[in-house]
Amino acid sequence: MTQIDEARAAMADIRATEQRLSQRMQWPFWRHLLPGMAFGALMFGQTLDHAASILIAFGVTIAGVLIMNRDRERDGLFVSGFAGNRARWVSIVLLVMAVGGILYVRYGIAAPQAQQPVFWVLLAVTVAGGTAFSYLWQHVYQRELRGKEP
Amino acid sequence: MIGAIDTVLHAPARLQIAAVLARVDEVEFATLRDIIEVSDSVLSKHLSALGEAGYVTLRKAAQDGRQRTWAAFTPKGARAFRAHLAALQALVDSAQAALG
């Protein structure tokens, strides 16, 4: 076998391994819903007083740790949202949009925010958008593992 | 093979282990064994070799009353895999260029 044949065989092995890994990266709906719910909770926290807002942020952090542990137990592996190339950008866009929305609720909507219809629209968009972005992230990550452009 | 090829990663099983580790933050021993499709002893041997080279860190953690081993790339391992992959790709590209 020549060096080039060996290199070709090695690249084929890597692709086959990545495809087997991609088959394991399937989250159920409720798992995709969690990022949306987390950002929604943080946004809702902005309508409450300072102590309640901090308490919600603390609760979301604890929930994040529990989700990571569940991922490890269920899947036998852990992939952060910042893995992958294009998939990483999906996470960054989601994070920027969610933080932007949360800051807008805090500083851009007159208090009490919970009495403004725009707040509830923004909250619904955040929960639905966070869930949709989680699905998108999985799709893009799987495409990367299968060696296809998204 | 050419000089840029990493001899630690050259073995097919080690290359497959590296391919998984490059795509995840951390993977459990049994999951890695199922993906790579090797026996426990073969995986253990290759993980030890990768650990000795400083490419992989191994961590023990209790889960469901059992000790489980988790593997992750070190920054050195991730860099070595990227360089190895680039060397393999260069070889394949040079062959294609030669064919015209």
Coordinates of all heavy atoms in Angstrom, one line a residue, chain A residues 72-149:
Chain A
R72 N -24.5 13.9 29.6 CA -23.4 12.9 29.8 C -23.9 11.5 30.1 O -23.5 10.5 29.6 CB -22.5 13.4 31.0 CG -21.6 14.6 30.6 CD -20.6 14.9 31.7 NE -19.5 15.7 31.2 CZ -19.5 17.0 31.3 NH1 -20.5 17.6 31.9 NH2 -18.4 17.7 30.9
E73 N -24.9 11.4 31.0 CA -25.5 10.1 31.4 C -26.2 9.5 30.3 O -26.1 8.3 30.0 CB -26.4 10.3 32.6 CG -25.7 10.5 33.9 CD -26.7 10.7 35.1 OE1 -27.9 10.3 34.9 OE2 -26.3 11.3 36.1
R74 N -27.0 10.2 29.5 CA -27.9 9.6 28.5 C -27.1 9.3 27.2 O -27.2 8.2 26.7 CB -29.0 10.6 28.1 CG -29.9 10.2 27.0 CD -31.0 11.2 26.7 NE -31.8 10.8 25.5 CZ -31.5 11.1 24.3 NH1 -30.4 11.8 24.0 NH2 -32.2 10.7 23.3
D75 N -26.2 10.2 26.8 CA -25.5 10.1 25.5 C -24.1 9.5 25.7 O -23.6 9.0 24.7 CB -25.4 11.5 24.9 CG -26.8 12.1 24.7 OD1 -27.8 11.4 24.5 OD2 -26.8 13.4 24.7
G76 N -23.6 9.5 26.9 CA -22.2 9.0 27.0 C -21.2 10.0 26.5 O -20.0 9.6 26.3
L77 N -21.6 11.2 26.1 CA -20.7 12.2 25.6 C -21.2 13.5 25.9 O -22.4 13.7 26.1 CB -20.4 11.9 24.2 CG -21.5 11.8 23.2 CD1 -22.0 13.2 22.7 CD2 -21.1 11.0 22.0
F78 N -20.4 14.5 25.8 CA -20.9 15.9 26.0 C -20.3 16.8 24.9 O -19.1 16.7 24.6 CB -20.5 16.5 27.4 CG -20.9 17.9 27.5 CD1 -22.2 18.2 27.7 CD2 -20.0 18.9 27.5 CE1 -22.7 19.5 27.8 CE2 -20.4 20.2 27.6 CZ -21.7 20.5 27.8
V79 N -21.2 17.5 24.2 CA -20.7 18.5 23.2 C -21.3 19.8 23.6 O -22.5 20.0 23.7 CB -21.3 18.0 21.8 CG1 -20.8 19.0 20.7 CG2 -20.9 16.6 21.5
S80 N -20.4 20.8 23.8 CA -20.9 22.1 24.1 C -21.4 22.8 22.8 O -21.1 22.3 21.7 CB -19.8 23.0 24.7 OG -18.9 23.4 23.7
G81 N -22.2 23.8 23.0 CA -22.8 24.5 21.8 C -21.7 25.1 20.9 O -21.9 25.6 19.8
F82 N -20.5 25.2 21.5 CA -19.4 25.9 20.8 C -18.5 25.0 20.0 O -17.4 25.4 19.6 CB -18.7 26.9 21.7 CG -19.6 27.9 22.2 CD1 -20.2 27.8 23.4 CD2 -19.8 29.1 21.5 CE1 -21.1 28.8 23.9 CE2 -20.7 30.0 21.9 CZ -21.3 29.9 23.1
A83 N -18.9 23.7 19.9 CA -18.1 22.7 19.1 C -18.5 22.9 17.7 O -19.5 23.5 17.3 CB -18.5 21.3 19.6
G84 N -17.7 22.4 16.8 CA -17.9 22.5 15.4 C -17.5 23.9 14.8 O -17.1 24.7 15.6
N85 N -17.6 24.0 13.5 CA -17.3 25.3 12.9 C -18.5 26.2 12.7 O -18.7 27.2 13.3 CB -16.5 25.0 11.6 CG -15.2 24.2 11.8 OD1 -14.5 24.5 12.8 ND2 -15.0 23.2 11.0
R86 N -19.3 25.8 11.7 CA -20.5 26.5 11.5 C -21.5 26.4 12.6 O -22.2 27.4 13.0 CB -21.2 26.1 10.2 CG -20.4 26.4 8.9 CD -21.0 25.7 7.7 NE -20.2 25.9 6.6 CZ -20.4 26.8 5.7 NH1 -21.4 27.6 5.8 NH2 -19.5 26.9 4.6
A87 N -21.5 25.3 13.3 CA -22.4 25.1 14.4 C -22.1 26.1 15.6 O -23.0 26.6 16.2 CB -22.3 23.6 15.0
R88 N -20.9 26.4 15.7 CA -20.5 27.4 16.7 C -21.1 28.7 16.5 O -21.6 29.4 17.4 CB -18.9 27.5 16.7 CG -18.4 28.6 17.7 CD -16.9 28.7 17.6 NE -16.2 27.5 17.9 CZ -15.3 26.9 17.1 NH1 -15.0 27.5 15.9 NH2 -14.7 25.8 17.4
W89 N -21.2 29.1 15.2 CA -21.8 30.4 14.9 C -23.3 30.4 15.1 O -23.9 31.5 15.5 CB -21.5 30.8 13.4 CG -20.1 31.2 13.3 CD1 -19.0 30.4 12.8 CD2 -19.5 32.4 13.8 NE1 -17.9 31.1 12.9 CE2 -18.1 32.3 13.5 CE3 -20.0 33.5 14.4 CZ2 -17.2 33.4 13.8 CZ3 -19.1 34.6 14.7 CH2 -17.8 34.5 14.4
V90 N -24.0 29.3 15.0 CA -25.4 29.2 15.4 C -25.5 29.6 16.8 O -26.4 30.3 17.2 CB -26.0 27.8 15.1 CG1 -27.4 27.7 15.6 CG2 -25.9 27.5 13.6
S91 N -24.7 29.0 17.7 CA -24.7 29.3 19.1 C -24.4 30.8 19.4 O -25.1 31.4 20.3 CB -23.7 28.4 19.9 OG -24.0 27.1 19.8
I92 N -23.5 31.3 18.7 CA -23.1 32.7 19.0 C -24.2 33.6 18.6 O -24.6 34.6 19.3 CB -21.8 33.1 18.2 CG1 -20.6 32.3 18.9 CG2 -21.5 34.6 18.2 CD1 -19.3 32.4 18.1
V93 N -24.9 33.4 17.4 CA -26.0 34.2 17.0 C -27.1 34.1 18.0 O -27.7 35.1 18.4 CB -26.5 33.8 15.6 CG1 -27.8 34.4 15.2 CG2 -25.4 34.1 14.6
L94 N -27.4 32.9 18.5 CA -28.5 32.7 19.5 C -28.2 33.5 20.7 O -29.1 34.2 21.3 CB -28.7 31.2 19.8 CG -29.6 30.9 21.0 CD1 -31.0 31.3 20.8 CD2 -29.5 29.4 21.3
L95 N -27.0 33.4 21.2 CA -26.6 34.0 22.4 C -26.7 35.5 22.3 O -27.2 36.2 23.2 CB -25.1 33.6 22.8 CG -24.7 33.8 24.2 CD1 -25.5 32.9 25.1 CD2 -23.2 33.3 24.3
V96 N -26.2 36.1 21.2 CA -26.3 37.6 21.0 C -27.7 38.0 20.9 O -28.1 39.0 21.6 CB -25.5 37.9 19.7 CG1 -25.8 39.4 19.3 CG2 -24.0 37.7 19.9
M97 N -28.6 37.3 20.2 CA -30.0 37.7 20.1 C -30.7 37.6 21.4 O -31.5 38.4 21.8 CB -30.7 36.8 19.0 CG -30.3 37.1 17.6 SD -30.9 36.0 16.4 CE -32.7 36.3 16.5
A98 N -30.4 36.5 22.2 CA -31.1 36.3 23.5 C -30.7 37.4 24.5 O -31.5 38.0 25.1 CB -30.8 34.9 24.0
V99 N -29.4 37.7 24.5 CA -28.9 38.7 25.4 C -29.4 40.1 25.0 O -29.9 40.9 25.9 CB -27.3 38.7 25.5 CG1 -26.8 39.9 26.2 CG2 -26.8 37.4 26.1
G100 N -29.5 40.3 23.7 CA -30.0 41.6 23.2 C -31.5 41.7 23.6 O -31.9 42.8 24.1
G101 N -32.3 40.6 23.5 CA -33.7 40.6 23.9 C -33.9 40.9 25.4 O -34.7 41.7 25.8
I102 N -33.0 40.2 26.2 CA -33.1 40.4 27.6 C -32.8 41.8 28.0 O -33.5 42.4 28.9 CB -32.1 39.4 28.3 CG1 -32.7 37.9 28.2 CG2 -31.9 39.7 29.8 CD1 -31.7 36.8 28.5
L103 N -31.7 42.4 27.4 CA -31.3 43.8 27.7 C -32.4 44.7 27.3 O -32.7 45.8 27.9 CB -30.0 44.1 27.1 CG -28.8 43.4 27.7 CD1 -27.5 43.7 26.9 CD2 -28.6 43.8 29.2
Y104 N -33.0 44.4 26.1 CA -34.1 45.3 25.6 C -35.3 45.3 26.6 O -35.9 46.4 26.9 CB -34.6 44.8 24.3 CG -35.7 45.7 23.7 CD1 -35.5 47.0 23.3 CD2 -37.0 45.2 23.6 CE1 -36.5 47.8 22.8 CE2 -38.0 46.0 23.1 CZ -37.8 47.3 22.7 OH -38.8 48.1 22.2
V105 N -35.6 44.1 27.2 CA -36.7 44.1 28.1 C -36.4 44.9 29.4 O -37.2 45.6 29.9 CB -37.0 42.6 28.5 CG1 -37.9 42.5 29.8 CG2 -37.7 41.9 27.4
R106 N -35.1 44.8 29.8 CA -34.7 45.5 31.0 C -34.7 47.0 30.8 O -35.1 47.8 31.7 CB -33.3 45.0 31.5 CG -32.9 45.6 32.8 CD -31.7 44.8 33.4 NE -31.5 45.2 34.8 CZ -32.1 44.6 35.8 NH1 -33.0 43.7 35.6 NH2 -31.8 45.0 37.0
Y107 N -34.1 47.5 29.7 CA -33.9 48.9 29.5 C -34.7 49.6 28.4 O -34.8 50.8 28.4 CB -32.4 49.2 29.2 CG -31.4 48.6 30.2 CD1 -30.6 47.5 30.0 CD2 -31.4 49.3 31.5 CE1 -29.8 47.1 31.0 CE2 -30.5 48.8 32.5 CZ -29.7 47.7 32.2 OH -28.9 47.2 33.2
G108 N -35.3 48.8 27.6 CA -36.1 49.4 26.4 C -37.6 49.4 26.6 O -38.3 50.0 25.8
I109 N -38.1 48.6 27.5 CA -39.5 48.6 27.7 C -39.9 49.2 29.1 O -39.3 48.8 30.1 CB -40.0 47.1 27.7 CG1 -39.7 46.4 26.3 CG2 -41.5 47.1 27.9 CD1 -40.1 45.0 26.2
A110 N -40.9 50.1 29.0 CA -41.2 50.8 30.3 C -41.8 49.8 31.3 O -42.5 48.9 31.0 CB -42.3 51.9 30.0
A111 N -41.4 50.0 32.6 CA -41.9 49.2 33.7 C -43.3 49.6 34.0 O -43.7 50.8 33.8 CB -41.0 49.4 34.9
P112 N -44.1 48.7 34.5 CA -43.9 47.3 34.6 C -44.0 46.6 33.2 O -45.0 46.6 32.6 CB -45.0 46.8 35.5 CG -46.1 47.8 35.4 CD -45.5 49.1 35.0
Q113 N -42.9 46.0 32.8 CA -42.8 45.3 31.5 C -43.9 44.3 31.3 O -44.3 44.1 30.1 CB -41.4 44.7 31.3 CG -40.2 45.6 31.3 CD -39.6 45.8 32.6 OE1 -40.2 45.6 33.7 NE2 -38.3 46.1 32.6
A114 N -44.2 43.5 32.3 CA -45.2 42.4 32.2 C -46.6 42.9 31.8 O -47.4 42.1 31.4 CB -45.3 41.6 33.5
Q115 N -46.8 44.2 31.8 CA -48.1 44.8 31.4 C -48.1 45.3 30.0 O -49.1 45.7 29.5 CB -48.5 45.9 32.4 CG -48.9 45.4 33.8 CD -49.4 46.5 34.7 OE1 -49.6 47.6 34.3 NE2 -49.5 46.1 36.0
Q116 N -46.9 45.2 29.3 CA -46.8 45.6 27.9 C -46.9 44.4 27.0 O -46.2 43.4 27.2 CB -45.4 46.3 27.7 CG -44.9 47.2 28.8 CD -45.8 48.5 28.9 OE1 -46.4 48.9 27.9 NE2 -45.9 49.1 30.0
P117 N -47.8 44.5 26.0 CA -48.0 43.4 25.1 C -46.7 43.0 24.4 O -46.4 41.8 24.2 CB -49.0 43.9 24.1 CG -49.8 45.0 24.8 CD -48.8 45.6 25.8
V118 N -45.8 44.0 24.1 CA -44.6 43.7 23.4 C -43.7 42.8 24.2 O -43.0 41.9 23.6 CB -43.8 45.0 23.0 CG1 -43.3 45.7 24.3 CG2 -42.7 44.7 22.1
F119 N -43.8 42.8 25.5 CA -43.0 41.9 26.3 C -43.4 40.5 26.1 O -42.5 39.6 25.9 CB -43.1 42.3 27.8 CG -42.6 41.2 28.7 CD1 -41.2 41.0 28.8 CD2 -43.5 40.3 29.4 CE1 -40.7 39.9 29.6 CE2 -43.0 39.3 30.2 CZ -41.6 39.1 30.3
W120 N -44.7 40.2 26.1 CA -45.1 38.8 25.9 C -44.8 38.3 24.5 O -44.5 37.1 24.4 CB -46.6 38.7 26.2 CG -46.9 39.1 27.7 CD1 -47.3 40.2 28.2 CD2 -46.5 38.2 28.8 NE1 -47.3 40.2 29.6 CE2 -46.8 38.9 30.0 CE3 -46.0 36.9 28.9 CZ2 -46.7 38.4 31.3 CZ3 -45.8 36.4 30.2 CH2 -46.2 37.1 31.3
V121 N -44.9 39.2 23.5 CA -44.5 38.8 22.2 C -43.0 38.4 22.2 O -42.6 37.4 21.6 CB -44.8 39.9 21.2 CG1 -44.2 39.6 19.8 CG2 -46.3 40.2 21.0
L122 N -42.2 39.3 22.8 CA -40.7 39.0 22.8 C -40.4 37.8 23.6 O -39.5 37.0 23.2 CB -40.1 40.2 23.5 CG -38.6 40.5 23.1 CD1 -38.5 40.6 21.6 CD2 -38.2 41.8 23.8
L123 N -41.2 37.5 24.7 CA -40.9 36.3 25.4 C -41.3 35.0 24.6 O -40.5 34.1 24.6 CB -41.8 36.3 26.7 CG -41.6 35.2 27.7 CD1 -40.2 35.3 28.3 CD2 -42.6 35.3 28.8
A124 N -42.4 35.1 23.9 CA -42.8 33.9 23.1 C -41.8 33.7 22.0 O -41.4 32.6 21.7 CB -44.2 34.2 22.5
V125 N -41.3 34.8 21.3 CA -40.3 34.7 20.3 C -39.0 34.1 20.8 O -38.3 33.3 20.2 CB -40.0 36.1 19.6 CG1 -38.8 36.1 18.8 CG2 -41.2 36.5 18.8
T126 N -38.6 34.5 22.1 CA -37.4 34.0 22.7 C -37.5 32.5 22.9 O -36.5 31.8 22.6 CB -37.1 34.8 24.0 OG1 -36.9 36.2 23.7 CG2 -35.8 34.3 24.7
V127 N -38.6 32.1 23.5 CA -38.7 30.6 23.8 C -38.7 29.8 22.5 O -38.0 28.8 22.4 CB -40.0 30.4 24.7 CG1 -40.2 28.9 24.8 CG2 -39.9 31.1 26.0
A128 N -39.6 30.3 21.6 CA -39.7 29.6 20.3 C -38.3 29.6 19.5 O -37.9 28.6 18.9 CB -40.8 30.1 19.4
G129 N -37.7 30.8 19.5 CA -36.5 31.0 18.8 C -35.3 30.2 19.4 O -34.6 29.6 18.7
G130 N -35.3 30.1 20.7 CA -34.2 29.3 21.4 C -34.4 27.9 21.1 O -33.4 27.2 20.8
T131 N -35.6 27.4 21.0 CA -35.9 26.0 20.6 C -35.5 25.7 19.2 O -34.8 24.7 18.9 CB -37.4 25.7 20.9 OG1 -37.7 26.0 22.2 CG2 -37.7 24.2 20.6
A132 N -35.9 26.7 18.3 CA -35.6 26.5 16.9 C -34.1 26.5 16.6 O -33.6 25.7 15.8 CB -36.3 27.6 16.1
F133 N -33.4 27.4 17.3 CA -31.9 27.5 17.2 C -31.3 26.2 17.6 O -30.2 25.8 17.1 CB -31.4 28.7 17.9 CG -31.2 29.9 17.0 CD1 -32.2 30.8 16.7 CD2 -29.9 30.1 16.4 CE1 -32.0 31.8 15.9 CE2 -29.7 31.2 15.6 CZ -30.8 32.1 15.3
S134 N -31.8 25.6 18.7 CA -31.2 24.3 19.2 C -31.4 23.3 18.1 O -30.4 22.5 17.9 CB -32.0 23.9 20.5 OG -31.4 22.7 20.9
Y135 N -32.6 23.2 17.5 CA -32.8 22.3 16.4 C -31.8 22.6 15.2 O -31.2 21.7 14.6 CB -34.2 22.3 15.8 CG -35.1 21.4 16.5 CD1 -36.2 21.8 17.3 CD2 -35.0 20.0 16.2 CE1 -37.1 20.9 17.9 CE2 -35.9 19.1 16.8 CZ -36.9 19.5 17.6 OH -37.8 18.7 18.2
L136 N -31.6 23.9 14.9 CA -30.7 24.3 13.8 C -29.3 23.9 14.2 O -28.6 23.4 13.3 CB -30.8 25.8 13.6 CG -29.9 26.4 12.6 CD1 -30.3 25.9 11.2 CD2 -30.0 27.9 12.6
W137 N -28.9 24.1 15.4 CA -27.5 23.7 15.8 C -27.3 22.2 15.6 O -26.3 21.9 15.0 CB -27.3 24.1 17.3 CG -25.9 23.8 17.7 CD1 -24.8 24.6 17.7 CD2 -25.4 22.5 18.2 NE1 -23.7 24.0 18.1 CE2 -24.0 22.7 18.4 CE3 -25.9 21.3 18.4 CZ2 -23.2 21.7 18.9 CZ3 -25.1 20.2 18.9 CH2 -23.8 20.4 19.1
Q138 N -28.3 21.4 16.0 CA -28.1 19.9 15.8 C -28.0 19.6 14.4 O -27.2 18.8 14.0 CB -29.3 19.2 16.4 CG -29.3 17.7 16.3 CD -30.5 17.0 16.9 OE1 -30.5 16.8 18.1 NE2 -31.5 16.7 16.1
H139 N -28.8 20.2 13.5 CA -28.8 20.0 12.1 C -27.5 20.3 11.5 O -26.9 19.5 10.7 CB -30.0 20.8 11.4 CG -30.0 20.7 9.9 ND1 -30.4 19.5 9.3 CD2 -29.6 21.5 9.0 CE1 -30.3 19.7 8.0 NE2 -29.8 20.9 7.8
V140 N -27.0 21.5 11.8 CA -25.7 22.0 11.3 C -24.5 21.1 11.8 O -23.7 20.7 11.0 CB -25.4 23.5 11.7 CG1 -24.0 23.9 11.3 CG2 -26.5 24.4 11.0
Y141 N -24.6 20.7 13.0 CA -23.5 19.9 13.6 C -23.5 18.5 12.9 O -22.4 18.0 12.6 CB -23.7 19.7 15.1 CG -22.6 19.0 15.8 CD1 -21.4 19.5 16.0 CD2 -22.9 17.7 16.3 CE1 -20.4 18.9 16.6 CE2 -21.9 17.0 17.0 CZ -20.6 17.6 17.2 OH -19.6 16.9 17.8
Q142 N -24.7 17.9 12.7 CA -24.8 16.6 12.1 C -24.3 16.7 10.6 O -23.6 15.8 10.1 CB -26.2 16.1 12.1 CG -26.6 15.6 13.5 CD -28.0 15.0 13.5 OE1 -28.9 15.5 12.8 NE2 -28.2 14.0 14.3
R143 N -24.6 17.8 9.9 CA -24.2 18.0 8.6 C -22.6 18.1 8.5 O -22.0 17.5 7.6 CB -24.8 19.3 7.9 CG -26.3 19.3 7.8 CD -26.8 18.6 6.6 NE -26.4 19.4 5.4 CZ -26.8 19.0 4.2 NH1 -27.6 18.0 4.0 NH2 -26.5 19.7 3.1
E144 N -22.1 18.8 9.5 CA -20.6 18.8 9.6 C -20.0 17.5 9.7 O -19.0 17.1 9.1 CB -20.2 19.7 10.7 CG -20.3 21.2 10.4 CD -19.7 22.1 11.6 OE1 -19.0 21.6 12.4 OE2 -20.1 23.2 11.6
L145 N -20.6 16.7 10.6 CA -20.1 15.3 10.9 C -20.2 14.4 9.7 O -19.4 13.5 9.5 CB -20.8 14.7 12.1 CG -20.5 15.3 13.4 CD1 -21.3 14.6 14.5 CD2 -19.0 15.1 13.8
R146 N -21.2 14.7 8.9 CA -21.5 13.8 7.7 C -20.7 14.4 6.5 O -20.8 13.9 5.4 CB -23.0 13.8 7.4 CG -23.7 12.9 8.4 CD -25.2 13.0 8.2 NE -25.9 12.4 9.3 CZ -27.1 12.7 9.7 NH1 -27.8 13.6 9.1 NH2 -27.6 12.0 10.7
G147 N -19.9 15.4 6.7 CA -19.1 16.0 5.7 C -19.8 16.7 4.6 O -19.4 16.8 3.5
K148 N -21.0 17.3 5.0 CA -21.8 18.0 4.0 C -21.9 19.5 4.5 O -21.9 19.7 5.7 CB -23.2 17.5 3.9 CG -23.3 16.1 3.4 CD -24.7 15.6 3.5 CE -24.8 14.1 3.1 NZ -26.1 13.5 3.4
E149 N -21.9 20.4 3.5 CA -22.1 21.8 3.9 C -23.6 22.0 4.3 O -24.4 21.4 3.7 CB -21.8 22.7 2.7 CG -20.3 22.7 2.4 CD -19.4 23.2 3.5 OE1 -19.8 24.3 4.1 OE2 -18.4 22.6 3.9

